[in-house]
Amino acid sequence: MVTVEADGQPVKGSPFTCNVYNVQNIKVTGLGPAKVGKPVTFSVDATEAGEGTLELVISTDQSTVKAEVVACSRGLYDVTFVPHQLTPHFVSISFNDEDLPGSPLRCEVMELPGKKSTATARGEGLNQVVLGAVAYFEINPHTPEPGSIDAQVIGPDGSMVPVTIDKLETGLFRAKYRPACVGTHSITVLQRRQPITKQPFAVQVFDPLQVKITDLSEAFCHRAATFKVDTRGAGSGALSVNIRAAGSEVKHTLRELETPGLYQVVYHPQVAIPHRILIKTTT
């Protein structure tokens, strides 16, 4: 009650009634991760918030969701709703037109156990990648409601490689990452927090700049010539050598020496002109 006086006399209507409330005293319990198609029930306790009007709306990014509110006692409510979409649901609560701190509350919605993922992934970023280059691959959810899409890239040393995923206008998702070391990287693609394949993708990251040619010297016609190719610092992959002169391929052999990653090339020049040697590494 608020009493107002003027010259010692109460003004008309005094004492006045003032409603004092505190929206921060409202408590929400039982709101956790939900499963699509299964009812979710949580409680809203406004018994210590004071007198007022409680408003509650549940929605997704696209639409509102029907909810059933049951008053258990004065200021205590049970709220039940059924999520039908694999997308986060948001619970907006206000009291006397004042938002509850933290509102809207987020409710993650997951797929029911046992249902297989529909997503597939493909792209060069899941096969072979040059060290330091940005690698890409695309994820196709094969459904208009894909839920969460994520990917984890783990380097050969066990470190996590940052991944960025963007949704395209086509409905596909594009993932990109930049490997920082040579070796086999493990990539797990997830839909609704579940891997889309039984085994992670094994991606070979190699560095062609680390391939070295040694023991290359002058060669003579009709005599065997040799040189070595060292791929030990380039990562795992296949080595191919092509030697050409006067527009024709020069016969040669390639064999790996006792040291893994070290190769010897033997070729047989037939004409006394410069020879072109092309070395290629692939995974």
Side-chain angles (χ1 to χ4, degrees), residues 205-248:
V205 177
F206 62 99
D207 184 4
L209 297 178
Q210 296 301 315
V211 177
K212 299 179 176 63
I213 300 175
T214 62
D215 300 337
L216 180 64
S217 58
E218 290 184 346
F220 299 91
C221 288
H222 311 295
R223 291 175 57 181
T226 65
F227 62 89
K228 293 178 182 177
V229 181
D230 188 350
T231 67
R232 287 174 291 183
S236 177
L239 176 70
S240 63
V241 177
N242 183 271
I243 304 174
R244 301 186 68 85
S248 300

Side-chain angles (χ1 to χ4, degrees), residues 222-272:
H222 311 295
R223 291 175 57 181
T226 65
F227 62 89
K228 293 178 182 177
V229 181
D230 188 350
T231 67
R232 287 174 291 183
S236 177
L239 176 70
S240 63
V241 177
N242 183 271
I243 304 174
R244 301 186 68 85
S248 300
E249 186 173 351
V250 178
K251 290 184 178 181
H252 67 277
T253 58
L254 172 67
R255 68 182 183 91
E256 188 171 14
L257 301 178
E258 293 182 0
T259 302
L262 187 61
Y263 298 83
Q264 184 180 59
V265 179
V266 180
Y267 65 103
H268 303 272
Q270 300 297 314
V271 290

Side-chain angles (χ1 to χ4, degrees), residues 21-131:
Y21 69 93
N22 187 352
V23 69
Q24 296 190 27
N25 286 342
I26 296 177
K27 299 179 179 62
V28 178
T29 57
L31 183 63
K35 296 177 181 178
V36 66
K38 293 292 185 179
V40 179
T41 299
F42 62 94
S43 298
V44 180
D45 186 351
T47 55
E48 297 182 5
E51 295 293 331
T53 302
L54 180 74
E55 294 184 354
L56 183 147
V57 177
I58 301 176
S59 63
T60 66
D61 289 336
Q62 294 82 29
S63 61
T64 57
V65 178
K66 182 180 179 181
E68 179 183 357
V69 180
V70 177
C72 302
S73 61
R74 185 179 179 84
L76 184 62
Y77 307 90
D78 278 349
V79 182
T80 301
F81 71 97
V82 180
H84 293 287
Q85 295 179 317
L86 289 169
T87 184
H89 285 49
F90 300 93
V91 180
S92 300
I93 299 176
S94 64
F95 192 67
N96 292 333
D97 294 326
E98 182 179 349
D99 289 337
L100 177 72
S103 180
L105 307 176
R106 184 184 179 104
C107 176
E108 294 291 346
V109 179
M110 301 178 296
E111 183 59 271
L112 289 174
K115 187 171 182 179
K116 295 182 179 179
S117 170
T118 59
T120 57
R122 60 184 299 177
E124 287 299 318
L126 295 176
N127 299 308
Q128 56 183 13
V129 180
V130 176
L131 179 67

